[in-house]
Amino acid sequence: MGSTTSVSQFGSEASARLSRRLAAHFGVLAAMSAAGALATAEKADAGVVYSGPVNITIPTTTAGIYLNLVTGVSAPTPAGSPGWDVNPWGSSTFFAYANNAAGPTDGIVTGLGNSTTLTDNLPMGTMIDGTAIYTRGPGSETTGSTVFTLNSNQNIIGVRFQNEANGNAIHFGWVRLSFGTTLTAQPRTVVEYAYESQAGVGIAAGVIPAAGVCCRGATCNTTVAQAGCTGSGMAGASFVTTASVCNATPLSNTPCCYANYNKANGITVQDIFDFLGDWFAGSAFANTGGNGAAGSLSVQNIFDFLSGWFAGGC
């Protein structure tokens, strides 16, 4: 009997402690809610942002096509693509022009082939970062190891650009191009592109995120590469290679188990405390059902998380 009483007492005491801790958190929460306060989210972790196949025609004109790598908008005029980053163009040959006013070493990678001033066709995996040589609007290599390949989509240029969505910070990216029988013949297209989401971090030419989704805390993201799928604060992270789309609703439990916030030991009470700790700290990973990007948190995030936690099932 003594043992039974002890276990019962232990269970009651543990339950009481949990109740007190939750009450303390929700007491503060209620005050914040009444005042209309919102927590401010932190910035998301680094990762490769990939366009997917876009196949944008590069006209055989002196205007070309103006492409904003962040918004994905392209147009034959700068006004049609505000904040444009790269402009492939040319009626007599191929040119690549970068819109980067950050300094004299502007935006297109050169210096790997026969010339230090002509655009290079980068080998797969070439690192595009602060150590590369850049020019603003060079023509293209026509001889040597980095010449552009005709009748092929295996042509990659490196880009250094200012991201207007991140305070005009410098980011690095690549653009894959397809050429026909000559550098000016049609079809001539931008096949795909990618850039590193964190300012100042280099990217390997032609490398795209592995198939799968990145689960961080109570969020899901399809654009974060496996190598960049890491948590911060109290949030854990896992990469699900068997999925290509995120959870259908904020309360679903697959492919990302939001209720297992710290991604350790399954769903436990600790996940609640870790979630609340990050929510009060303003972590983007506590934006239940979000993608881990910057934004504002709300009280609804807590209700959604707790509903998923009590539902279990993952």
Side-chain angles (χ1 to χ4, degrees):
M1 290 294 292
S3 175
T4 301
T5 301
S6 176
V7 171
S8 176
Q9 288 175 341
F10 175 80
S12 297
E13 291 172 0
S15 177
R17 285 197 300 271
L18 173 59
S19 297
R20 286 194 297 270
R21 293 177 68 182
L22 286 174
H25 279 292
F26 283 104
V28 176
L29 172 62
M32 292 177 65
S33 178
L38 293 177
T40 302
E42 66 183 17
K43 198 171 176 180
D45 286 352
V48 174
V49 178
Y50 173 54
S51 68
V54 291
N55 297 316
I56 301 169
T57 296
I58 305 171
T60 308
T61 65
T62 55
I65 194 78
Y66 295 84
L67 173 62
N68 186 314
L69 300 179
V70 178
T71 65
V73 174
S74 62
T77 64
S81 181
W84 67 273
D85 302 304
V86 61
N87 170 222
W89 63 284
S91 58
S92 59
T93 185
F94 172 74
F95 296 89
Y97 193 84
N99 182 21
N100 178 6
T105 54
D106 285 311
I108 304 296
V109 174
T110 61
L112 296 179
N114 289 351
S115 171
T116 59
T117 60
L118 294 178
T119 302
D120 290 317
N121 177 16
L122 302 180
M124 176 74 75
T126 301
M127 202 63 192
I128 303 163
D129 57 18
T131 66
I133 299 173
Y134 297 89
T135 58
R136 187 170 178 81
S140 53
E141 285 279 14
T142 56
T143 61
S145 60
T146 60
V147 66
F148 286 87
T149 306
L150 301 178
N151 296 309
S152 171
N153 63 3
Q154 299 304 303
N155 300 282
I156 303 173
I157 62 174
V159 182
R160 175 183 184 267
F161 69 98
Q162 289 180 278
N163 185 347
E164 73 278 10
N166 190 25
N168 285 330
I170 293 295
H171 288 244
F172 298 98
W174 55 262
V175 179
R176 185 186 299 276
L177 307 169
S178 178
F179 292 103
T181 55
T182 69
L183 291 179
T184 58
Q186 295 294 333
R188 183 173 70 166
T189 63
V190 172
V191 178
E192 60 186 358
Y193 58 87
Y195 68 91
E196 171 55 56
S197 67
Q198 181 168 309
V201 176
I203 187 172
V207 174
I208 61 177
V213 299
C214 176
C215 307
R216 297 173 295 181
T219 69
C220 178
N221 195 305
T222 61
T223 65
V224 176
Q226 187 167 8
C229 186
T230 57
S232 66
M234 303 293 184
S238 64
F239 195 83
V240 181
T241 59
T242 55
S244 59
V245 295
C246 284
N247 301 33
T249 70
L251 300 183
S252 68
N253 57 20
T254 184
C256 293
C257 183
Y258 299 147
N260 184 10
Y261 188 79
N262 56 30
K263 304 296 182 277
N265 305 316
I267 300 174
T268 68
V269 172
Q270 189 61 46
D271 289 304
I272 296 178
F273 296 125
D274 288 346
F275 170 84
L276 290 173
D278 271 2
W279 190 91
F280 281 104
S283 171
F285 302 140
N287 183 5
T288 309
N291 64 5
S296 295
L297 303 184
S298 71
V299 174
Q300 189 61 46
N301 299 140
I302 297 179
F303 296 142
D304 289 343
F305 175 80
L306 289 177
S307 293
W309 190 91
F310 283 110
C314 58

